Amino acid sequence: MSGDDLNPAAVARPVEDAQGDDRWMSQHTRFVQECKDAEPDQFEVRQDLFSPLHALNFGIAGDTTCNVLWRLQNGELENICPKVVVLWVGTNNYEHTAEQVAGGILAIAQLLTSRLPKAKIVVLGLLPRGERPNPLREKNTVVNGYLRSWLPRLGRAQLLDVSGDFVHSDGAISLQDMFDFLHLTATGYRTMAKPLSDLLLQILEETHVPGI
């Protein structure tokens, strides 16, 4: 998408503290600190597949592309030199069009390639949502289409789209995969995490230099 300065989904901004408890900023501050001296707590699926890779998880529930851009511009890329970065954001950008959402994701990927010149970037495609086909699910599909077209321009970024693994032949999504037809269950996480883990191991093997 051209003209990112005109794309509202590519404008960095923090979350407004509507509740007054400053939790979002507190999480951001914790992630900045983790860049310096710590590894995060591990959950079951991450424990099994990603803990051996010493992965840091900087996800905050509800974030949009704008919020992730702001966090990355305000300390969360300091003091780290990862070999691979996994980016998964966009389904919460309700106020933006599919093209704007994809443009926001592209802006984040561009920032990552600029600030982390040695890292490979894996962008996870947006998953389907809602038990049956609906406009939001269709929008996510269109976002993934834009990303599939745009990401190769960056050279070190690629799309991993596993959305098809969650939709049955009748167009329905199972409660076994998404307990509310949006958020993943443990089974759903494993469906997504296994191909991601395989890709990460492949990238790390390809980038490994013997003797270093």
Side-chain angles (χ1 to χ4, degrees), residues 30-121:
R30 175 168 64 88
F31 295 154
V32 172
Q33 185 62 35
E34 282 182 357
C35 289
K36 300 177 182 178
D37 59 12
E39 291 194 2
D41 294 334
Q42 304 288 333
F43 297 98
E44 180 181 354
V45 176
R46 292 185 63 248
Q47 180 83 25
D48 292 344
L49 296 177
F50 302 121
S51 180
L53 303 180
H54 305 283
L56 290 169
N57 177 13
F58 288 169
I60 296 181
D63 262 7
T64 67
T65 54
C66 305
N67 307 140
V68 172
L69 265 174
W70 187 91
R71 292 199 282 121
L72 295 180
Q73 292 175 0
N74 286 272
E76 290 186 20
L77 294 180
E78 302 297 329
N79 305 297
I80 58 174
C81 187
K83 296 177 181 178
V84 187
V85 176
V86 178
L87 174 63
W88 195 21
V89 67
T91 200
N92 294 315
N93 283 67
Y94 303 110
E95 63 189 82
H96 302 125
T97 68
E99 185 177 12
Q100 289 172 336
V101 175
I105 296 170
L106 184 67
I108 298 171
Q110 289 172 324
L111 175 65
L112 291 169
T113 57
S114 173
R115 296 282 296 274
L116 303 172
K118 295 183 179 181
K120 300 284 187 178
I121 313 301

Side-chain angles (χ1 to χ4, degrees), residues 49-50 160 193-204:
L49 296 177
F50 302 121
L160 176 62
K194 185 57 170 66
L196 174 58
S197 174
D198 291 344
L199 177 59
L200 294 181
L201 291 174
Q202 175 187 329
I203 292 173
L204 292 173

